[in-house]
Amino acid sequence: TFINSSCDLVFMKDENLRFIAVNERMKDYYGIASVKQAVGKSVLELLPGERATAFESRDRRVLESREAMMVEETENGETYETILFPVFLANGRVGVGGISRIITARHLAELAIEQERDRAEMYLNLAPIVFVASNMHGRVTMINRAGCEILGRKKADILGKAWTKHFVPEEDREETRSALEAFQNSDNPGFFTHENGVLTASGERRDIEWKNVLMLDDEGEVMGILGAGVDITELKRTMGALRESE
């Protein structure tokens, strides 16, 4: 049958949460001799202990809410992604269906990517340079500790906001926005250098010299800009004072 040709674990239950059908993969998961052995029984009769109670509890939530649910869980070294959904049976009855897929390889890959991202963020936080990443809409997707310190704001108050609108002084805003948009649409493989002020939480202006690079996705499409900035405020003040003294 169709469900037995699937590599996923597939089941269907009636309104009393008793199995109407399971496929061969589900039979093997439960460790029973045949699929017929499951029909008419609840999961509590096939599995011992807390696992069965947890399975029946979430099936009942789907049955009562009439809404689909997705669950990800790790068991015996394997990670499963399960989709549970209401099934409309004859005579107005409603049951529950489920499809579980082993996603261990994907899960491990996601963990590896997450660990690499966390490691990269740790390195960025150690640097005294401001790092800011923004998406194609100019909204902040990443900022390091130095950036938060210069702005005098918490990361949560920065992420997701439009960079030029919220953190660039009004006198620099239009020029900075236009320059970044032009660079973003340029396919320039190198660095784009520019200078603009940033506005701190206290209203102070700090002058930053930026080196920007385009961020690309796996297909080589531009997904945003990463900027590395150095605070040159004091340097500019010193140079101004020297010029006035001449």
Side-chain angles (χ1 to χ4, degrees), residues 98-136:
I99 302 173
S100 293
R101 174 169 297 175
I102 296 175
I103 59 165
T104 307
R106 191 185 83 188
H107 180 70
L108 292 175
E110 289 172 349
L111 283 178
I113 292 171
E114 185 176 339
Q115 289 170 355
E116 285 299 318
R117 185 180 65 243
D118 290 345
R119 186 178 295 113
E121 186 170 350
M122 179 187 70
Y123 293 151
L124 292 178
N125 282 333
L126 292 173
I129 298 172
V130 176
F131 284 96
V132 179
S134 57
N135 62 19
M136 294 294 287

Side-chain angles (χ1 to χ4, degrees), residues 15 36 73 78 82 121-122 134 138 159 164 187 213 223 229 232:
E15 70 275 19
K36 292 181 179 179
E73 58 200 347
E78 295 283 14
T82 302
E121 186 170 350
M122 179 187 70
S134 57
L159 295 178
T164 54
D187 294 329
V213 65
M223 57 184 290
I232 58 172

Side-chain angles (χ1 to χ4, degrees), residues 13-32:
K13 297 180 180 181
D14 65 16
E15 70 275 19
N16 297 312
L17 297 181
R18 295 188 174 275
F19 287 104
I20 300 172
V22 300
N23 70 346
E24 290 290 330
R25 290 296 301 276
M26 185 63 80
K27 177 208 74 173
D28 295 339
Y29 175 81
Y30 284 133
I32 56 180

Side-chain angles (χ1 to χ4, degrees), residues 60-108:
R60 193 169 299 282
R61 289 202 300 273
V62 172
L63 189 65
E64 293 173 353
S65 69
R66 302 290 198 270
E67 294 182 355
M69 174 191 300
M70 181 172 288
V71 181
E72 186 174 307
E73 58 200 347
T74 299
E75 179 183 315
N76 298 326
E78 295 283 14
T79 300
Y80 295 84
E81 181 182 74
T82 302
I83 301 174
L84 302 168
F85 49 89
V87 176
F88 297 94
L89 306 172
N91 301 319
R93 297 177 302 139
V94 179
V96 176
I99 302 173
S100 293
R101 174 169 297 175
I102 296 175
I103 59 165
T104 307
R106 191 185 83 188
H107 180 70
L108 292 175

